[in-house]
C-alpha cells in the first residue's frame, strides 16, 4: 500500500463515489489523480483532483485502455489504482495480461467474475454456510420452461446486469416469452423474498473488514439505482458481510443487495465488487485512509443524516412522488437530507454535475438509450468474452 506521499489513481471519475473517495484520500495527504472515458466527469472539477486523464472506452477498446492505464501509471508514479465502477473488471483483465508497475485495489478477475455473476455468487454464499434464496440458472428455453409454472413466485434477471435492468418481478407466464436465455446470455430465476431491502458497502483487506456502511434507498432512478440513502444498523448483515470477505480473502471494495425477512433472517440477493453510495457515510479522511490504505483499525460511518443528489431527486424522485401522491413525503425527505456532493471548500463539483449530465445525455441521444444505460455503456462488463 502507498505511503503518505504516494500517488493514487482513482478511476470511474464520472461517479459521485469517485469524487467522494478522491476527497477522502486527498484530505488524508495523498496526491490523487483521476481517470475516465468522459471528457468532463464530475470528479475532475474537484480540488482533490491533481489531474484528470481521459482514457479509451474499455468495453470497446480493451487493449488501448490497458495500454493507456499502464502509461499513465508510469508517467504519474502511481502506486495504487482504486476502481470505483464497472471498469474494475477491465482493469483486472489488464493486470492479468501484463506486469503492471502499480497495484490494483481489487481481487483477480476470476473472483470478481464469480461474485458479479448472479448465480455463482449465490452458490458461493451457500458454500460459505449462508442461507440463500433458491436461485436457478437458466441457460435455455427448456430451463425457462421448467420454472414457468412458478413464475409468480420468482424474480427473473440476467446473470450479468446492472441497475435492475431487464428484471421481471413475479411476472405472469406470458411475460416470459420475451426472455431467451442461452449459455452466452444466461438468466437466473430467484425466489421472490418478502421483507426489507438493505444495501451494504464494504472495504476489506486480505479478508479483514476495514469499513462497512449499511443503508436503505427509498428513492431510486427507475427500478434500480438509489438516489436517496438512509443509514441503518444490522448485526446480522454485518456477520454476513464478514463471512463473505473472510471466505474469499477479499481485498478491495465490495457491495451487496440483501433482504431482511420478517422473521429476521438476512438473505443475500446479489453482489457488486465496486464502490456504491454507502461510501458517502464516511467523511473523516484521516480515519478512512488509515483503515483502508494503511494498518489502522476498521473505520465506522461518521455521517447520520440521509444523503442524496438533489439534481437526481428532482429528475427522478419528484415524478415518482407525484405519481404516488406522496409529495409531502418528498418535501420532508428533501428538507431532512444532505447533498452528498457538498464538501467544505470544494463547491465546483456541484456546478460540474450539469456539464457531466449534458455529456451523458448527448450519449443517450446519439445511441437512443436511457440516461442510466448511457452512464455505463462504455465500461459495462457482461462476463468472459463479452464485448
Amino acid at each position: 500500500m502507498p505511503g503518505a506521499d504516494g500517488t493514487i489513481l482513482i478511476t470511474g471519475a464520472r461517479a459521485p463515489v469517485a469524487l467522494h473517495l478522491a476527497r477522502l484520500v486527498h484530505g488524508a495527504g495523498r496526491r490523487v489523480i483521476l481517470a475516465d472515458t468522459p471528457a468532463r466527469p464530475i470528479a475532475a472539477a474537484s480540488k482533490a483532483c491533481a489531474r484528470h486523464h481521459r482514457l479509451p472506452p474499455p468495453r470497446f477498446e480493451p487493449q488501448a485502455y490497458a495500454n493507456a492505464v499502464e502509461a499513465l501509471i508510469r508517467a504519474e508514479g502511481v502506486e495504487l489504482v482504486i476502481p470505483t465502477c464497472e471498469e474494475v473488471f477491465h482493469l483486472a483483465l489488464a493486470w492479468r495480461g501484463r506486469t503492471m508497475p502499480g497495484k490494483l485495489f481489487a481481487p483477480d478477475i476470476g473472483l470478481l467474475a464469480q461474485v458479479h455473476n448472479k448465480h455463482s455468487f449465490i452458490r458461493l454464499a451457500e458454500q460459505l454456510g449462508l442461507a440463500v434464496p433458491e436461485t436457478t440458472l437458466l441457460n435455455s428455453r427448456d430451463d425457462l420452461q421448467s420454472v414457468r409454472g412458478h413464475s409468480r413466485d420468482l424474480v427473473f434477471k440476467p446473470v450479468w446486469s446492472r441497475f435492475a435492468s431487464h428484471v421481471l418481478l413475479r411476472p405472469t407466464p406470458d411475460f416470459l416469452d420475451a426472455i431467451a436465455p442461452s449459455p452466452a446470455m444466461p438468466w437466473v430465476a430467484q425466489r421472490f423474498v418478502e421483507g426489507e431491502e438493505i444495501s451494504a458497502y464494504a472495504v476489506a483487506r486480505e479478508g479483514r473488514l476495514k469499513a462497512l456502511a449499511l443503508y436503505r434507498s427509498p428513492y431510486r432512478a427507475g427500478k434500480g439505482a438509489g438516489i436517496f440513502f438512509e443509514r441503518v444498523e444490522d448485526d446480522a448483515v454485518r456477520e454476513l458481510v464478514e463471512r463473505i470477505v473472510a471466505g474469499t480473502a477479499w481485498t478491495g471494495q465490495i457491495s451487496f443487495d440483501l433482504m431482511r425477512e420478517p422473521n429476521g433472517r438476512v438473505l443475500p440477493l446479489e453482489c457488486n465488487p465496486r464502490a456504491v453510495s454507502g461510501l458517502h457515510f464516511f467523511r473523516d479522511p484521516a480515519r478512512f485512509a488509515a483503515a483502508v490504505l494503511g494498518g489502522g483499525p476498521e473505520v465506522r460511518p461518521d455521517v447520520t443524516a440521509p444523503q442524496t443528489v438533489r439534481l437526481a431527486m428532482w429528475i427522478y424522485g419528484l415524478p415518482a412522488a407525484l405519481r404516488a401522491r406522496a409529495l409531502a413525503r418528498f418535501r420532508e425527505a428533501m428538507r431532512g437530507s444532505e447533498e452528498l456532493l457538498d464538501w467544505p471548500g470544494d463547491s465546483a463539483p456541484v456546478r460540474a454535475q450539469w456539464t457531466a449530465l449534458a455529456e451523458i445525455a448527448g450519449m443517450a441521444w446519439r445511441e437512443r438509450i436511457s440516461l442510466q444505460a448511457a452512464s455505463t455503456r462504455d465500461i459495462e462488463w457482461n462476463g468472459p468474452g463479452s464485448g
Side-chain angles (χ1 to χ4, degrees):
M1 291 296 172
D5 299 321
T7 294
I8 294 179
L9 168 61
I10 296 174
T11 59
R14 72 192 70 187
V17 286
L19 168 63
H20 197 91
L21 185 60
R23 287 164 160 173
L24 288 170
V25 173
H26 171 75
R30 270 68 164 181
R31 177 175 180 262
V32 178
I33 62 173
L34 290 119
D36 206 344
T37 303
R40 294 178 292 180
I42 187 171
S46 172
K47 290 182 178 178
C49 176
R51 189 173 298 170
H52 170 253
H53 294 262
R54 195 173 186 188
L55 299 172
R59 180 183 175 192
F60 305 115
E61 302 176 34
Q63 193 63 43
Y65 179 79
N67 292 342
V69 170
E70 181 176 2
L72 174 54
I73 292 172
R74 294 187 187 280
E76 295 283 1
V78 171
E79 295 185 42
L80 184 69
V81 179
I82 307 180
T84 58
C85 303
E86 215 162 305
E87 80 281 355
V88 62
F89 302 102
H90 303 282
L91 289 168
L93 285 167
W95 255 256
R96 185 183 68 175
R98 62 182 73 197
T99 302
M100 285 290 197
K103 294 181 180 179
L104 180 65
F105 194 56
D108 64 77
I109 186 62
L111 182 53
L112 287 170
Q114 184 180 18
V115 302
H116 185 47
N117 180 306
K118 291 179 175 60
H119 181 257
S120 62
F121 166 65
I122 293 297
R123 299 285 78 84
L124 171 65
E126 195 173 38
Q127 290 164 15
L128 294 174
L130 297 170
V132 299
E134 294 80 1
T135 304
T136 302
L137 181 64
L138 308 176
N139 276 320
S140 66
R141 287 196 177 273
D142 287 343
D143 291 341
L144 185 62
Q145 189 64 29
S146 70
V147 297
R148 180 182 288 267
H150 306 286
S151 66
R152 298 293 286 167
D153 301 316
L154 299 171
V155 178
F156 295 82
K157 47 192 175 182
V159 159
W160 313 105
S161 58
R162 57 210 50 82
F163 301 140
S165 58
H166 308 296
V167 167
L168 296 179
L169 187 67
R170 305 174 78 180
T172 56
D174 56 297
F175 270 85
L176 299 182
D177 294 337
I179 299 177
S182 68
M185 292 186 291
W187 284 60
V188 293
Q190 189 172 78
R191 176 174 66 83
F192 176 78
V193 182
E194 298 273 7
E196 175 192 11
E197 189 172 351
I198 298 175
S199 298
Y201 165 76
V203 187
R205 286 181 57 189
E206 298 175 350
R208 293 185 58 195
L209 198 60
K210 305 298 288 186
L212 176 66
L214 311 179
Y215 61 100
R216 285 187 292 257
S217 304
Y219 290 92
R220 296 179 178 274
K223 294 186 296 182
I227 56 174
F228 185 99
F229 314 103
E230 298 173 337
R231 262 192 68 195
V232 298
E233 296 288 342
D234 193 299
D235 291 340
V237 173
R238 178 183 177 85
E239 181 183 353
L240 181 151
V241 174
E242 285 181 325
R243 289 177 67 175
I244 293 175
V245 300
T248 56
W250 194 271
T251 292
Q253 300 175 96
I254 189 168
S255 63
F256 304 93
D257 293 333
L258 312 144
M259 192 67 76
R260 170 176 277 283
E261 295 181 297
N263 63 9
R265 185 173 67 162
V266 174
L267 300 179
L269 300 181
E270 54 189 71
C271 172
N272 287 299
R274 55 175 172 80
V276 293
S277 298
L279 174 62
H280 296 293
F281 292 105
F282 298 94
R283 287 220 170 203
D284 187 324
R287 290 177 59 239
F288 187 86
V292 172
L293 303 179
E298 178 188 341
V299 61
R300 302 283 180 152
D302 51 86
V303 174
T304 55
Q307 302 292 295
T308 191
V309 178
R310 295 193 184 280
L311 177 59
M313 282 290 280
W314 289 119
I315 294 174
Y316 295 104
L318 179 58
L322 290 171
R323 288 192 299 270
R325 298 183 180 181
L327 197 55
R329 177 171 168 261
F330 174 82
R331 290 197 194 101
E332 182 180 353
M334 292 291 274
R335 283 196 300 267
S337 61
E338 297 176 346
E339 169 61 63
L340 60 81
L341 297 178
D342 285 343
W343 195 271
D346 191 27
S347 60
V350 175
R351 298 187 296 273
Q353 65 183 319
W354 291 101
T355 53
L357 177 61
E359 188 171 3
I360 294 172
M363 169 68 71
W365 182 81
R366 288 191 301 273
E367 300 295 329
R368 291 176 169 76
I369 56 178
S370 69
L371 279 174
Q372 276 196 349
S375 71
T376 61
R377 177 178 178 270
D378 58 314
I379 57 172
E380 289 180 6
W381 190 78
N382 295 308
S386 64

